[in-house]
Amino acid sequence: MIYKSIADRLRLRLNSSDYNIGSPLPGEKALAQEFGVARMTIRKALDLLVSWGLVERRHGSGTFVSRKDVHHETTNLTGLVEVLRQQGKEVQSKVLQFEVMPAPPAIASQLRIHVDERIYFSRRVRYVDGKPLMLEDSFMPVKLFRNLSLAHLEGSKFDYIEKECGITISGNYESLTPVLADKTLAGYMNLPEQTPLLRITSLSYSDSGEFLNYSVMFRNTSDYQVDYHLRRIHPDDLLAHPPEQHRQ
């Protein structure tokens, strides 16, 4: 539902350095204009933020930040190139396709932009020590990255976004699904058909709440392992502070 998506985006914004405890939110009319929806939709999104304990309404004054989301942790988000280079591995990216295109509805929904708004589409194969590790399809809004080039995609997108564009990557939503390689994927990855792969959808966002990059990746799990360290949150804390709603 669209009001839940707006609440998610506002939640990211409230956790950024632009807002402090007690900071006022824009009025319902201004938010409705920003998101292109009816005021009733904004009101329902704000109701969610109130239920999560992040904002409070003050009669006659507006809506104000009441607390930050203490479970919003992003300090361990690291790019693939950064991780593998730390392990002493050689990482290369071969760009197979790179173009500007109008955003189809499904991609526009992920990036929270208008349908047919201009986006970059890229397809690249990531190689580690000369072996194909992953095929990645990536979608990025042109309005945020005016000078994205082939050279950037042959390197690290994280480096480009943060070091060249000056945008802080605050976090990432991921969804993982096992799949079997079809003929096309097998050809790109130099693998037999029906080889098990891991399909990963990834949505990165900035500290100001903008969605920066949506990627669909197919990773060869036989040559690369990912270990996760997940912190346990006590059930009583979950009741008091509901976790962030994942969109994938």
Side-chain angles (χ1 to χ4, degrees):
M1 296 181 181
I2 191 168
Y3 75 89
K4 292 182 178 179
S5 299
I6 293 173
D8 281 338
R9 185 160 182 177
L10 289 173
R11 186 174 195 159
L12 297 179
R13 188 180 299 179
L14 298 182
N15 279 287
S16 74
S17 58
D18 294 333
Y19 282 83
N20 298 313
I21 303 299
S23 293
L25 271 67
E28 290 181 0
K29 182 178 179 180
L31 289 173
Q33 290 177 340
E34 176 184 347
F35 289 101
V37 297
R39 290 183 65 172
M40 182 59 69
T41 302
I42 293 297
R43 194 165 299 142
K44 292 176 71 174
L46 293 175
D47 286 342
L48 270 183
L49 295 177
V50 171
S51 71
W52 294 338
L54 296 177
V55 303
E56 63 178 0
R57 289 190 174 98
R58 299 175 187 171
H59 184 69
S61 299
T63 306
F64 297 81
V65 178
S66 57
R67 73 172 178 87
K68 297 279 189 171
D69 188 346
V70 297
H71 301 308
H72 187 70
E73 296 184 355
T74 58
T75 55
N76 293 324
L77 177 61
T78 309
L80 174 67
V81 172
E82 295 169 311
V83 171
L84 294 177
R85 283 179 178 163
Q86 288 172 4
Q87 298 174 3
K89 298 183 181 295
E90 180 186 5
V91 183
Q92 294 178 316
S93 297
K94 180 180 180 182
V95 180
L96 306 177
Q97 191 173 348
F98 178 44
E99 63 182 273
V100 174
M101 61 179 285
I107 302 303
S109 174
Q110 292 288 344
L111 293 172
R112 297 298 191 273
I113 59 177
H114 297 296
V115 174
D116 291 336
E117 190 169 323
R118 292 199 310 157
I119 59 170
Y120 295 106
F121 167 71
S122 62
R123 171 170 291 174
R124 57 183 183 168
V125 177
R126 317 298 297 276
Y127 294 85
V128 178
D129 293 338
K131 297 180 63 177
L133 166 69
M134 182 171 66
L135 174 73
E136 177 192 35
D137 286 350
S138 178
F139 307 88
M140 302 171 69
V142 170
K143 65 183 179 183
L144 297 180
F145 308 106
R146 298 291 184 182
N147 66 338
L148 180 65
S149 69
L150 189 65
H152 295 129
L153 295 173
E154 290 174 341
S156 165
K157 282 191 299 186
F158 271 36
D159 279 352
Y160 166 70
I161 292 171
E162 294 196 313
K163 295 179 180 179
E164 186 165 332
C165 299
I167 298 173
T168 300
I169 301 173
S170 184
N172 195 58
Y173 295 103
E174 283 193 355
S175 177
L176 291 75
T177 309
V179 298
L180 298 176
D182 59 16
K183 184 177 180 179
T184 301
L185 281 172
Y188 284 132
M189 303 289 289
N190 194 25
L191 295 168
E193 290 186 48
Q194 301 301 301
T195 296
L197 300 175
L198 190 62
R199 181 184 186 272
I200 305 169
T201 60
S202 171
L203 179 66
S204 302
Y205 56 86
S206 71
D207 59 353
S208 61
E210 293 177 302
F211 292 97
L212 308 171
N213 176 75
Y214 177 66
S215 293
V216 180
M217 298 165 279
F218 296 90
R219 182 175 291 172
N220 181 356
T221 58
S222 63
D223 291 328
Y224 182 66
Q225 177 179 323
V226 179
D227 295 321
Y228 288 91
H229 173 208
L230 304 177
R231 296 181 58 191
R232 173 171 166 77
I233 299 174
H234 194 274
D236 291 343
D237 292 332
L238 286 175
L239 292 175
H241 308 294
E244 185 161 350
Q245 301 299 306
H246 283 244
R247 304 174 52 257
Q248 301 296 335

